[in-house]
Amino acid sequence: MSDTPFGFGLPPEEPEDGDEGKKKDQQSGGGQGPANPFGFGGIPGLPGAGGPGGAGGDNPFAAMFGSMNPNDLGAAFQQLGQMLSYEGGPVNWDMAKDIARQTVSQGTQDGVKDASVGPADRTAVQEAVRLADLWLDDATSLPSGAGTAVAWSRAEWVEATLPAWKELVDPVAERVGMAMGDVLPEEMQAMAGPLIGMMRSMGGAMFGSQIGQALGVLAGEVVGSTDVGLPLAPAGKAALLPLNIEAFGKDLGVPQEEVRLYLALREAAHQRLFAHVPWLRSHLFGAVDGYARGIKVDTTKLEDVVGQFDPQNPEQIQEALQQGMFQPEDTPEQKAALARLETALALVEGWVDAVVHAAAKPRLSSADALRETLRRRRATGGPAEQTFATLIGLELRPRRLRDASRLWASLTDARGVDGRDGLWAHPDMLPTASDLDDPDGFVHRDEQLDFSELDKMLGEAAGGGDKPKLTKDDDTGEDDDTK
């Protein structure tokens, strides 16, 4: 580590001949450091950068901002002020929301701008979700989980999903906040309290800026509230984005109504699962948190990012973060945490894939084509998902979606819809990663499940109603739904 941590240059020593020495130093470019005490030097066209420019020899802020036009100057001061004055949690979420909305307002790369959702699109979404729920009644025993169906603009998606992203990202960002202080030598930490506070404020702003941009880009890609496999919207609210659905179906050669309905089936299926499996949300977010705790921060890269910060180029922070500064710990615990998360995401997405296909196949001629398109899209992820993977060291992709989908389909054939959906009664009943390697073995392994216990839980969940039993017949070994 250098003697000037984070690249903050030391102020020049006082010349022995007083004010006269100062003047000579300024004229000759001498001295031991730049006029700017924070080390933000090298700005073209400014004194100290080797080129002509306005005043600033005695004024470090003039040296930093003198060549900027008034609009850029105001924006730079505003962003720098946000960075240094922030005193909240590990991420400056106010900044994240502002940048996300700014990114959304700029439109996607193909030039499509965000727009308010009109009455016709709202009605179309509501009708699609209503029809999707009717079709799903035949494909799953879980009842509807969508109390309302809404059509969102991209900006509305940002506003509505921000609380869920906060819960997802904060555990990782907290580790960075601690690392911001750890990059200082131990002997300096005791006397550098204000500096550490400033570093953490900048860390919150760095994350807020990058998260905001990623959310803004992701808002231009998603078609609903459950695209990443996590429940991002408020409970019971099925949401679709008409503008993005139109872009998604543009080159598929499928009628827009069928595209909308198929995506409504996926959204409604997710809603049923998250609404009626009460432990699932905390299970998924807990898996994310467990994985995040095993991530280590590259403090060398973090030090470089902070030390080279240039107020005239805030995008520099985003570019540095995009290169990644996180690596998962190569430990058995971290590998197990990653396996749990990937398996949980695969089981959720595989169940949705299997249930939606069962509902859509008899009714939509384009069901197979749309299924394959969504599978590939979900398996590869878009640019914004890759940004999150770099930013927080985590990919929210179900790597084993196809294996999980085959397992759920086999369970349907072997045990029926009730037997398949009954596995969601408790996380211990779900297939494991090894079961995805051998789905037939899981489906036909009698000792895998205690069906009497499953009967009991299903009965309690149904309030003691006449739920078909899943106990094995002692003589035949077959499921007996008549008991």
Side-chain angles (χ1 to χ4, degrees):
M1 183 175 293
S2 67
D3 293 333
T4 55
F6 309 110
F8 292 143
L10 297 174
E13 294 183 3
E14 187 74 18
E16 292 182 0
D17 49 354
D19 291 341
E20 291 300 318
K22 287 184 182 179
K23 293 178 182 178
K24 291 177 183 178
D25 269 349
Q26 291 166 6
Q27 292 170 358
S28 64
Q32 298 181 8
N36 172 12
F38 295 103
F40 296 133
I43 301 177
L46 297 179
D58 287 327
N59 184 344
F61 291 102
M64 292 163 65
F65 303 120
S67 65
M68 300 175 70
N69 65 52
N71 291 333
D72 290 340
L73 180 62
F77 269 119
Q78 183 180 14
Q79 187 155 3
L80 186 59
Q82 282 182 297
M83 285 185 173
L84 300 182
S85 64
Y86 177 68
E87 297 180 351
V91 177
N92 188 331
W93 286 104
D94 290 337
M95 176 181 283
K97 182 170 73 171
D98 291 344
I99 291 177
R101 291 185 66 95
Q102 291 169 13
T103 304
V104 164
S105 67
Q106 293 169 4
T108 51
Q109 291 185 349
D110 56 6
V112 179
K113 300 281 188 180
D114 193 25
S116 299
V117 180
D121 281 331
R122 294 189 186 279
T123 299
V125 165
Q126 291 169 355
E127 291 179 350
V129 172
R130 186 180 302 114
L131 182 57
D133 258 337
L134 288 175
W135 290 4
L136 287 172
D137 284 340
D138 296 331
T140 174
S141 62
L142 299 180
S144 174
T148 58
V150 295
W152 282 342
S153 66
R154 293 166 179 168
E156 288 173 321
W157 180 89
V158 168
E159 293 278 355
T161 63
L162 209 59
W165 289 115
K166 185 176 187 295
E167 186 176 351
L168 177 67
V169 173
D170 272 351
V172 181
E174 184 68 40
R175 294 183 60 81
V176 179
M178 293 186 292
M180 296 291 271
D182 293 342
V183 294
L184 278 177
E186 186 175 350
E187 63 273 12
M188 291 184 61
Q189 292 186 22
M191 59 183 187
L195 180 60
I196 293 176
M198 185 175 72
M199 291 300 95
R200 288 178 176 167
S201 295
M202 290 182 67
M206 288 160 59
F207 258 104
S209 176
Q210 186 63 17
I211 289 288
Q213 185 175 15
L215 283 177
V217 176
L218 190 58
E221 300 173 0
V222 296
V223 294
S225 73
T226 55
D227 285 36
V228 298
L230 297 171
L232 300 178
K237 183 171 289 188
L240 295 176
L241 283 72
L243 187 62
N244 292 355
I245 290 176
E246 182 180 353
F248 170 80
K250 184 177 180 181
D251 299 320
L252 296 181
V254 177
Q256 188 71 16
E257 293 76 13
E258 289 196 22
V259 174
R260 184 192 303 113
L261 184 51
Y262 193 88
L263 296 175
L265 281 166
R266 288 183 54 83
E267 179 74 9
H270 276 102
Q271 293 295 332
R272 288 184 181 225
L273 194 58
F274 288 119
H276 299 290
V277 182
W279 55 264
L280 182 58
R281 186 185 191 280
S282 60
H283 180 76
L284 286 170
F285 279 83
V288 172
D289 183 68
Y291 179 74
R293 293 182 187 278
I295 292 176
K296 58 184 177 181
V297 180
D298 185 348
T299 54
T300 302
K301 183 171 292 186
L302 181 61
E303 182 180 348
D304 290 341
V305 170
V306 175
Q308 298 173 11
F309 172 65
D310 177 359
Q312 275 195 301
N313 183 22
E315 292 81 7
Q316 177 186 44
I317 292 177
Q318 299 174 4
E319 294 169 2
L321 284 175
Q322 285 172 346
Q323 297 173 9
M325 61 174 67
F326 308 104
Q327 305 94 27
E329 294 276 6
D330 188 20
T331 63
E333 292 79 10
Q334 182 67 353
K335 291 177 180 178
L338 179 60
R340 284 194 300 272
L341 178 59
E342 289 183 343
T343 300
L345 287 171
L347 290 174
V348 168
E349 292 298 288
W351 183 88
V352 168
D353 179 78
V355 167
V356 168
H357 184 69
K361 177 70 173 175
R363 300 175 174 95
L364 294 179
S365 59
S366 58
D368 288 333
L370 289 170
R371 182 191 202 188
E372 186 60 28
T373 299
L374 266 297
R375 278 181 166 185
R376 291 179 179 178
R377 170 187 169 101
R378 192 68 187 91
T380 58
E385 285 191 58
Q386 294 166 11
T387 298
F388 276 108
T390 302
L391 182 62
I392 65 174
L394 177 65
E395 294 181 348
L396 296 174
R397 297 210 299 268
R399 297 180 182 275
R400 309 196 63 181
L401 186 154
R402 293 176 187 270
D403 293 337
S405 182
R406 282 194 293 270
L407 186 148
W408 289 119
S410 297
L411 281 168
T412 308
D413 293 338
R415 301 178 183 173
V417 168
D418 285 345
R420 177 201 65 198
D421 293 347
L423 294 179
W424 290 105
H426 192 277
D428 290 344
M429 293 182 174
L430 289 177
T432 63
S434 60
D435 293 324
L436 295 180
D437 296 328
D438 182 21
D440 289 337
F442 176 82
V443 170
H444 299 293
R445 192 161 60 239
D446 290 348
E447 64 272 16
Q448 174 70 24
L449 292 173
D450 182 348
F451 282 91
S452 61
E453 186 65 22
L454 180 57
D455 274 344
K456 179 180 177 182
M457 283 188 284
L458 289 176
E460 292 174 352
D466 295 325
K467 188 74 176 179
K469 289 198 173 187
L470 299 173
T471 51
K472 295 284 185 180
D473 185 278
D474 292 337
D475 298 324
T476 65
E478 298 293 328
D479 290 347
D480 185 358
D481 292 338
T482 63
K483 293 184 179 180

